[in-house]
Amino acid sequence: MAKFDIWDIHCHLNGVAGRTPEERLDKLLEYAKRVGLARLCVFMGMEWAYDPAPEKMRQDNEEVLRAIRRAPGRAFGFVYLNPRHTQASLDELNRCVRDGPMIGVKLWVAQHCNARALDPLIERATELKAIVYQHTWLKVTGNLPGESTPMDLAELAARHPKAALVCGHSGGDWELGLRAIRPHQNLFAELGGGDPTAGFTEMAVRELGAERVLYGSDAGGRSFASQLAKVLGADIPDPAKRLVLGGNLRRLLRPILKEKGINL
Amino acid sequence: MSARIVSRTVNRRAFLGTAVAASLLAASREPVLTAAPEAGASESLIDVNVSLSRWPARRLPHDETPELVDKLRRAGVTQAWAGSLEAVLHKDLAAVNQRLTEECHRHGRGLLRPFGSINPRWPDWEEELRRCAEEYLMPGVRLHPSYHGYRLDDPAFARLLRLAADRRLIVQLVFAMEDERMMHPLLRVPAVEPAPLASLMKATPSLRLVLLNALRTLRGEALRTLLAAGEVFVEIAMLEGVGGVEALLAQVPSSRVLFGSHAPLFYFESALLKLQESPLSAEQRGALRQANARRLSAAA
Ligand SMILES: [Zn+2]
């Protein structure tokens, strides 16, 4: 594994031992190191909220800011936004990304992502060169009321061709999710947060090309192990693994990291 | 018909050899391992959760037995307990179990050990259990209550556990094959409800029960109670959470935890990397990698 420079686009402070954001980040980094992970992106607070009020949103982001201050350059933050609170979200985006160290946006299940309410957030994130991670799932058991599908995200991607959008979990039901996002070159498939079902990564690389596939774990709810296995165990060539495990994320983040004085 | 007789004869001889060798190995190594695990011994790896043949909804990278065997051997697996994916939907389980035995023998000699499938709701299952034990010399059976349509409070299930225990067969109970959120819409099955298991274990004290893919749903107090009710083991294929193995071992005795990959449905590397992600003592590592499974199968 030492031959790969592995970056994880998807970690949380939830589901990790520790009383404070700092303690939890330390714990994450400790396990990450054991499996050869170099850097982590972290988003959302210690307690989760599906539809956070502006105050809760700020609190979550504050916790992430505290955590990443612990390990500058090793842990990066994405700002958690709620499209149902447009102005508060724009204010958070400015506070945490324009004026702060964060480099991406996390959108979860407050609202379906094809809604017009996302447009100002995506536009502003793109101006700031931040990448946008949108959770998606396609559940045969039924989605949450505001939970986006990969098809919703494909609509959003078509409206914002200049934005870099990450399809979280590749839709969970990845055999369908990958096909839903395939036509949109600005959409990236993230592998994390689901079972390590064999064939996932091979199909993602086959349909989207290795350049559009990103490793992420969804730790602490998931183990780094099960999620890394999707790439390390996949029947794809090493150069493709290198892209999926970190090369692509570094390429996507390079402009905003450069703006923040971090040269890769 | 004649092919069947021939293959059974061949298999009986082959598995007799394997079984004897395995139990001798276990007998000679056991005291060493409980005293002080040695580096060499902890190198071997027993995977109690692999499957052969095809998953009905997907082709998998290693769903041809020779490829799976190759994958397992290269990963350092020295023994793998194999069920058949055909068992979830096929009704002719006799043919499934026969093919499983032949595949294990033909492609995985010394590595694959067959675990046949029994549906206690279907006619003549006692005869199928007899074949698994007497003709195929299987170390155990693998049950799929959710795909076979029964609950664990079904009296037929209790009877199957008793007969299996009488024959000294290990019983593997599969809690899930995949995340219920991504099942094929026409292949949705209910989760196994484990509540009746603790009293069944107490009623069948000689039974050795291995729960497969259980740690997704079975946790905390319910898990501890069940492990305390008898010779119950779990494996780590569906164990999740960062540092998951370390967290599990803080809750349950390491003597009850086995290495399981759920390959080829899951990437094999997942289970292996879990052992690396969690800091484990040499004793814990040895217990999970092989000592517990070896002790369990030695009693078969
Ligand atoms: Zn997540």
Side-chain angles (χ1 to χ4, degrees), chain A residues 10-12 43-44 48 106 108 133 135 169 193 218-219:
Chain A
H10 185 179
C11 296
H12 301 292
F43 33 85
M44 297 164 61
W48 281 356
K106 164 65 186 268
W108 197 27
Y133 181 103
H135 164 98
H169 316 292
D218 210 355

Side-chain angles (χ1 to χ4, degrees), chain A residues 1 31 34 137 139-141 172 174-175 195-202 220-226 229-230 233, chain B residues 58 60-61 179-183 185 188 240-243 246 264-267 269-270 273-274 276-279:
Chain A
M1 253 169 301
Y31 290 117
R34 296 186 58 85
W137 211 288
K139 296 171 179 163
V140 72
T141 48
W174 43 271
E175 284 151 319
D195 282 343
T197 307
F200 182 176
T201 309
E202 288 89 335
R222 293 279 175 174
S223 71
F224 291 122
S226 63
K230 291 176 185 173
Chain B
R58 176 183 304 120
L60 300 160
D179 185 334
E180 69 279 1
R181 296 172 299 178
M182 55 179 295
M183 287 173 175
R188 296 179 60 190
E240 276 296 348
V242 70
E246 183 185 26
L265 258 159
F266 280 9
Y267 288 109
E269 287 77 1
S270 169
L273 284 165
K274 285 176 191 172
Q276 185 179 328
E277 179 176 323
S278 283

Side-chain angles (χ1 to χ4, degrees), chain A residues 144-216:
Chain A
L144 294 164
E147 191 170 27
S148 299
T149 65
M151 294 72 125
D152 294 338
L153 187 57
E155 284 182 39
L156 185 72
R159 292 210 301 272
H160 297 275
K162 292 207 169 74
L165 301 172
V166 179
C167 181
H169 316 292
S170 297
D173 195 344
W174 43 271
E175 284 151 319
L176 304 182
L178 291 169
R179 298 307 299 263
I181 63 173
R182 189 197 55 79
H184 304 278
Q185 291 299 318
N186 59 327
L187 258 178
F188 296 81
E190 188 251 355
L191 301 172
D195 282 343
T197 307
F200 182 176
T201 309
E202 288 89 335
M203 180 181 170
V205 168
R206 183 190 79 212
E207 290 298 330
L208 276 65
E211 296 77 12
R212 285 177 58 199
V213 183
L214 301 171
Y215 156 74

